[in-house]
Amino acid sequence: MENYKGLAASEGIGVGEVFLVPASASRVIPQYAIQEFDINVEWYRLEVAIERVRQRFESQMSTVNSQYADILQTYIVMLSDTEFLGQVRSQLSKSFQNIESVLHKKASEMAAVLRSSGDEYLSERASDITDVFGQVVDELLGYKPFDYDLVPEGKVVVADSVSPADAVALFRRKLVGLVASEGGVTSHLAILARNNRLPAVLGIKGITSKLESGQQVVVDGTQGLVIANPDEKTLKKYRKSELAKQKETKGLAKLKGKAATTADGVSFTLLANIGSPEEAQLALDEGAEGIGLFRTEFLFMGAVQDARKSGSSGVHSVSETAQLAAYRQVLEIMGERPVIIRTLDTGGDKLIKEAGIHTDSEQNPLLGNRAIRLTLAHKSLFKRQLRALYRASVYGNLKIMLPLVTHGIQVVETLELIAEVKRELAAEEIPFRPDVPVGIMVETAAAAVSADIFAAHSDFFSIGTNDLTQYVLGIDRENPSVAELYDDKNVAVLRLIKYTVDCAEKAGIPVSVCGEMAGSPDRALLLAGLGVRTMSMVPTRIGVIKKALASHKLKELEDMANGSLSGDFKMSQGKGSGKTRS
């Protein structure tokens, strides 16, 4: 019996035989010189290949559910990225190399930049780039990859990687589990696996060389564990867990159309955290009453490559039009439900160090020039995003959220910039909603301790418990030597959450929690006892939290919270809740 640890990408237990996807034949990208008069011919070949791939995606869209369709639509948009294709055309004209080698090189360069960004979500978008334009290269070469329609039903598929386009065929095969060497919890493959409720463990390097077809395995998508050749005791344990999980899933499905309430009828609002437009439909399908956090960093992935190649000292941001399209898509999917969109939260430890903005070397990027600090320092970037947001406001119930606010002047400056944007849009006769609520994330001690002051200048609060815990305790969760001390149930963290909630209530403004605490049953119950009535979480946790709330009366939860606030260290020694930053 061998155990392999990976990333818990999709919850559940799967027990079955391995189907090992054959490793793709090493695709050799030819490189040869062309003449100047060949450039137009090579470009025409590329246009034909792109059109064939586009048509393939479009034909698939008519046969899949909305979740797949949204991802395929994203891929189609990528095929039309004029900035990227302009770089390819420029390189073709300069290098006098065949189009396959030029396209492969440019796509690989952009993917490498994203992988080195330090941002998990953007790193996963690198896979999308290599997948989409890899298919174009395949089309140019006449290369035929593995046909996933050949996978037998009822198997555990083990592969190096699976593209979302291939997943369309794969998830029709009634699998019991999925294991891959590549991919992360925010990858499109992980999203699709969760949407299909297929247990999945990703990111196990070299797993295809360790397992064989026909071998029996257990896929524990909750713990991120793959067990090969399990003994009878282990099989019995997991089969029992599998049946219990199936029963639980059926029970949770019954809660989708029901309101979230405690046993004594106290109502709660459960929202979803998403990082891309295609996740909005998943949130809706899981019963989300709105979007509590829409991360916008994914939109700026192309800006990295542009700025680096141009040698500019400023960021070449994604266009206002492209941002508008993404925001509009989410707002239209959610209808009248609220959608809280967070302005660009990047810098230092994330994307911006690669994007051409000059910043001094930072010893501790998490305490440096990031989030609202960075966007206010680069107002053209910020203004472009605000214009797109206000233009999108007519398509739904938009709220704008500012990250990492620590000083009142940051809110004042942002509101001044918003006023300027409104004047411009009005002068251009572009429709927008002038009354869009603007709130802040409470994720530092400065914001929490000053919540009474910020409440007078904010339309709402959203507490980011992940960063709040990290900043309050002075603990870097990525540092293994201190990660065990990360404790979002620490009395200092809980007291700041309670104070923030009380200040919001006194000021008459809404407050929610969008950190990892909201998606953990025991912590969500604690938040409820502290007075939180709106929580935002990963979409697939909504049913779990509904069930947890329905099992307790409010008085029980308040007693639990009061005990934790009292300073009883025995009650506040919980370990960390994960590494996903909000």
Side-chain angles (χ1 to χ4, degrees):
M1 189 166 71
E2 302 83 31
N3 293 352
Y4 303 101
K5 193 76 174 69
L7 300 174
S10 180
E11 289 185 344
I13 305 296
V15 179
E17 292 183 352
V18 168
F19 179 89
L20 192 63
V21 175
S24 299
S26 182
R27 185 180 60 180
V28 178
I29 311 295
Q31 181 175 336
Y32 53 85
I34 61 172
Q35 301 298 315
E36 184 173 1
F37 56 77
D38 290 324
I39 289 177
N40 287 338
V41 174
E42 291 294 286
W43 191 252
Y44 175 72
R45 290 180 58 226
L46 176 61
E47 290 179 328
V48 171
I50 287 175
E51 184 57 30
R52 287 176 178 168
V53 173
R54 187 199 321 277
Q55 289 176 1
R56 187 158 65 241
F57 289 155
E58 288 176 345
S59 66
Q60 290 176 329
M61 283 181 66
S62 63
T63 63
V64 298
N65 63 27
S66 58
Q67 183 74 15
Y68 286 112
D70 287 340
I71 291 175
L72 292 172
Q73 183 60 51
T74 300
Y75 275 22
I76 290 170
V77 170
M78 290 174 68
L79 288 171
S80 305
D81 186 337
T82 55
E83 294 181 359
F84 175 70
L85 292 177
Q87 292 176 26
V88 174
R89 178 79 194 217
S90 176
Q91 183 66 25
L92 176 67
S93 300
K94 291 176 183 176
S95 68
F96 293 100
Q97 298 287 330
N98 59 302
I99 190 62
E100 296 94 337
S101 65
V102 171
L103 178 62
H104 177 70
K105 179 181 178 182
K106 298 303 293 183
S108 298
E109 286 177 355
M110 179 178 283
V113 170
L114 293 179
R115 289 193 180 100
S116 66
S117 68
D119 183 276
E120 180 185 11
Y121 193 87
L122 291 168
S123 296
E124 290 300 339
R125 301 291 72 77
S127 299
D128 295 338
I129 290 169
T130 55
D131 177 32
V132 171
F133 291 105
Q135 291 195 47
V136 176
V137 171
D138 288 345
E139 192 68 40
L140 286 164
L141 296 174
Y143 175 81
K144 301 297 182 184
F146 177 75
D147 183 358
Y148 279 87
D149 280 325
L150 299 177
V151 176
E153 292 188 354
K155 299 290 185 180
V156 172
V157 164
V158 179
D160 285 321
S161 63
V162 180
S163 74
D166 288 331
V168 173
L170 184 61
F171 288 147
R172 293 193 190 112
R173 309 310 296 163
K174 297 180 181 177
L175 306 177
V176 298
L178 174 65
V179 180
S181 299
E182 300 178 7
V185 295
T186 61
S187 66
H188 279 141
L189 181 60
I191 293 168
L192 290 173
R194 292 193 289 269
N195 190 40
N196 283 270
R197 300 195 180 280
L198 177 67
V201 179
L202 307 180
I204 306 181
K205 300 301 180 185
I207 191 64
T208 54
S209 64
K210 297 169 183 173
L211 299 178
E212 299 177 354
S213 287
Q215 191 174 11
Q216 190 171 46
V217 295
V218 172
V219 179
D220 185 341
T222 304
Q223 300 297 323
L225 186 66
V226 175
I227 304 173
N229 304 315
D231 56 29
E232 280 304 315
K233 182 179 178 181
T234 301
L235 277 175
K236 185 177 180 180
K237 168 191 166 185
Y238 272 104
R239 281 179 174 143
K240 183 178 180 180
S241 298
E242 186 179 11
L243 290 173
K245 185 66 178 177
Q246 290 172 358
K247 184 178 179 180
E248 180 189 32
T249 299
K250 289 180 180 178
L252 293 177
K254 296 177 182 177
L255 298 176
K256 281 189 179 180
K258 295 183 178 180
T261 64
T262 56
D264 51 343
V266 178
S267 297
F268 289 79
T269 300
L270 302 186
L271 310 174
N273 297 338
I274 65 172
S276 64
E278 58 266 25
E279 290 179 76
Q281 186 60 50
L282 172 60
L284 201 57
D285 294 342
E286 291 292 337
E289 297 173 71
I291 302 300
L293 170 62
F294 177 21
R295 303 176 180 91
T296 59
E297 288 73 48
F298 83 100
L299 286 167
F300 294 80
M301 63 184 187
V304 181
Q305 184 77 356
D306 296 340
R308 172 178 277 190
K309 292 301 178 182
S310 69
S312 169
S313 60
V315 66
H316 286 228
S317 174
V318 63
S319 71
E320 181 180 320
T321 301
Q323 291 187 62
L324 169 61
Y327 305 149
R328 175 178 178 174
Q329 184 179 347
V330 173
L331 286 163
E332 289 184 332
I333 288 172
M334 299 311 295
E336 291 302 311
R337 299 171 183 84
V339 174
I340 299 177
I341 300 182
R342 184 178 67 186
T343 60
L344 185 61
D345 182 13
T346 190
D349 64 319
K350 289 187 177 181
L351 168 68
I352 216 68
K353 64 183 179 182
E354 299 287 346
I357 288 182
H358 174 72
T359 56
D360 294 329
S361 178
E362 296 184 323
Q363 199 166 23
N364 191 338
L366 288 174
L367 301 180
N369 190 21
R370 54 170 291 220
I372 193 69
R373 303 167 185 174
L374 187 135
T375 50
L376 284 173
H378 297 272
K379 286 193 169 68
S380 61
L381 167 68
F382 198 12
K383 188 175 177 180
R384 186 179 295 115
Q385 183 171 33
L386 290 171
R387 279 180 58 93
L389 285 166
Y390 271 89
R391 288 176 65 186
S393 65
V394 297
Y395 298 104
N397 186 4
L398 171 67
K399 297 182 180 183
I400 297 173
M401 183 161 65
L402 311 179
L404 204 70
V405 170
T406 53
H407 296 69
I409 189 64
Q410 295 166 331
V411 178
V412 172
E413 287 186 25
T414 299
L415 293 177
E416 289 174 349
L417 194 60
I418 285 174
E420 183 180 327
V421 164
K422 290 179 180 179
R423 288 193 297 270
E424 288 183 2
L425 293 176
E428 297 167 26
E429 298 185 348
I430 296 175
F432 66 93
R433 273 182 46 205
D435 58 346
V436 174
V438 179
I440 69 166
M441 284 196 77
V442 178
E443 50 188 333
T444 65
V449 170
S450 306
D452 57 332
I453 301 172
F454 280 113
H457 304 281
S458 304
D459 293 319
F460 64 90
F461 286 159
S462 182
I463 304 173
T465 55
N466 302 345
D467 270 347
L468 180 63
T469 302
Q470 183 163 242
Y471 286 129
V472 168
L473 299 184
I475 291 169
D476 178 5
R477 289 169 295 154
E478 304 299 332
N479 183 340
S481 65
V482 296
E484 285 294 311
L485 295 174
Y486 176 89
D487 177 14
D488 50 13
K489 295 166 72 175
N490 181 281
V491 64
V493 177
L494 297 181
R495 286 183 176 182
L496 287 177
I497 292 173
K498 177 61 176 171
Y499 182 69
T500 302
V501 170
D502 290 346
C503 288
E505 183 178 355
K506 186 175 180 180
I509 65 172
V511 60
S512 64
V513 169
C514 64
E516 288 293 297
M517 284 186 76
S520 169
D522 62 328
R523 287 162 168 80
L525 295 176
L526 186 55
L527 290 171
L530 293 172
V532 176
R533 295 294 178 266
T534 301
M535 305 182 209
S536 190
M537 62 208 68
V538 174
T540 52
R541 303 300 294 170
I542 290 173
V544 175
I545 301 305
K546 280 185 181 180
K547 180 181 178 182
L549 290 169
S551 302
H552 295 79
K553 293 183 178 181
L554 184 62
K555 182 64 166 59
E556 297 175 53
L557 305 182
E558 289 175 339
D559 289 345
M560 180 196 310
N562 289 334
S564 296
L565 289 172
S566 69
D568 183 346
F569 291 110
K570 290 182 180 179
M571 298 188 69
S572 59
Q573 289 178 342
K575 293 184 178 180
S577 61
K579 292 187 176 181
T580 304
R581 294 183 53 245
S582 68

